[in-house]
Amino acid sequence: MRVAFFLLLGKAAGALKEMAVAYRYGISDVVDAYQFTMTMANWLPVTIVGALSVVLIPVLVRTRYAERVVRARFLGELQGMIIAVGTVLAVLTYLAWPWMLELAGQGLSVDARRMSSELTLAFAPAALLTLLTGISAARLRAHERHINTLLDSVPAVVILVWVMLAATAADVGPLLWGTLVGYLIQSVWLLALAKKADGMWARPRLSLSAPQWPDLVKAAGVMLIGQVAMSFVGPIDQYTAANLGANANATLGYASRLLSLLLGVGAASVGRAALPVLADIQSRGDRVRARSTALKWSVLMVLAGAVVTLVGWVLAPWGVALLFERGAFTAQNTDTVAHVLRWGLLQLPFYFGVLILVQLLASQNRYAIMAMIAVANFILKAAMNQVLAPIMGPAGIMLATSMMYALSYICYVVVALRPAPAAATSS
C-alpha cells in the first residue's frame, strides 16, 4: 500500500507533465523526436537496470546479514562498476546516434531527426544517471523502503516546470534541459537515501573481489539475455511507428504514457513490493508458502486487470480528453489516441498477473526459464508488429503487445505450478 501511494503521487506528476507537453506541442515533430530519442536512448540502460534489479535484490537481502566490512566492499565495488559501465554507455550513445537515426529513424521528418540529435545532449548522460538511480533504488528496495517509487517522478516534475516556464515551444530546449536536470536531481537524491538505508556511503571501487560477485554475475548474465530480448520491444515499436508515417510515434507515445499510468499505480506497486518479501520467505526455506502466495496474488491481479480494462475501454476518450485536449492537442487527436489506447488496455490483465509470478521465479533463482520466456515473447511481438501494424496502424502495435503479455502469463503460470528444484532456491 505504501508503494501504491507513492506511485499514485508519482504518476500524478507524470500525468501533469504529459498534459503540459500536449498543451505546448500537441502531436508534432517535437513530440516525435522526444518519444523516439527517449525510447531508443533509454532502452539499454533500462535493460541493464531491469536485469540487475531482479538478480541483485535477493543478493542485497542476504547481504544485510553479512559483516559490515563485507557489505561495504560489495556495495563499493557495485558502485564502481556501475559508474564505469555508465560512462562508457553515455559516450557510445552520443557517438552512435547519427547511425541510430539512419538505421531506425528513417521515417522521421528532417526536423524531427535534427531535434533528436539535439536531445542526445540530455539522454546520453542520462544513461549513466539511470544506472546509478537503478542501483540506489535496488539498495532501498532490499530494505523494503520504497521511497524510490515516489522519486521516479522527479524527472517528470522538472520537465513539467521547464516546459511551462519556457517562452517558446518551437524547439526541444525545454524538454532537453528538463530531462537532464531531472535525472541528475533524482540520481543524487536516491544515492543519499541509499547511503542512509545501508548505513554506509559505499565508496566506489574498480574491482570484483567481494564474495557475492560469482553468483551475481552468473545470474545477471542469464537474466540479461531475457532482458535484452524484451528491451527490444520499445525500439521495435518506435521503428514500426516511424515507418507508418508522420506523427505515428507521437500518437503511440501519448497512448503508451497514459497506459503506463494504469500499469504503474496498481501492478507495479505489487511487483516492486513482492520481490524482497518473496526473497525473504525463500531464504527462510518456506518455498511452498512463497509459491502459494504468489499464485493467489497473481489470480487476484488478473481479475483486477480485467475490471480496469473494461472500465478503461469505456472511459478512454474521456480520459484522453481530460489529460491532453487543450492548446495544440485537438479533439481529432483525442479520437486517434483513444482508439490506440483501447487496444493497449487488453494487455492489463496479463501484465498485472505476470508481475507477481516474475518475482516468484526471481526469488527462486530460475533465471534461465525467465530468459527463455522473454525470448519467446520478443519473437511473438516482432512477428505480430509486422502483421498487425500495416493493417491497424499504431493500434496494431498495441494489440501485438497485448498478445505478447498473454503468452508471457500462460508460460509463467505453467512454470510456477511446478515446484522449483531445491538446488535452485538455495543458491
Side-chain angles (χ1 to χ4, degrees), residues 129-203:
L129 299 174
T130 297
L131 295 185
L132 290 172
T133 296
I135 295 304
S136 298
R139 291 168 63 182
L140 287 166
R141 289 173 61 192
H143 291 277
E144 297 185 36
R145 298 182 185 180
H146 301 287
I147 188 64
N148 65 287
T149 303
L150 178 60
L151 297 187
D152 283 348
S153 64
V154 169
V157 172
V158 177
I159 292 171
L160 166 66
V161 173
W162 222 289
V163 166
M164 293 309 297
L165 293 180
T168 175
D171 57 29
V172 294
L175 294 173
L176 189 160
W177 289 107
T179 297
L180 181 59
V181 174
Y183 274 102
L184 181 60
I185 293 173
Q186 180 191 30
S187 177
V188 173
W189 199 342
L190 278 174
L191 184 60
L193 291 174
K195 169 186 175 293
K196 183 178 180 181
D198 284 316
M200 61 184 66
W201 182 253
R203 180 173 58 86

Side-chain angles (χ1 to χ4, degrees), residues 9-67:
L9 294 178
K11 293 301 181 180
L16 290 174
K17 185 263 288 186
E18 297 304 331
M19 292 166 66
V21 171
Y23 174 78
R24 284 286 192 178
Y25 301 107
I27 293 180
S28 63
D29 287 341
V30 175
V31 182
D32 271 351
Y34 180 71
Q35 179 67 23
F36 177 84
T37 310
M38 179 175 62
T39 301
M40 291 298 190
N42 277 346
W43 79 266
L44 189 53
V46 170
T47 298
I48 295 173
V49 168
L52 273 180
S53 295
V54 172
V55 300
L56 181 60
I57 290 175
V59 173
L60 290 173
V61 169
R62 293 192 294 269
T63 304
R64 292 185 307 186
Y65 307 106
E67 295 181 1

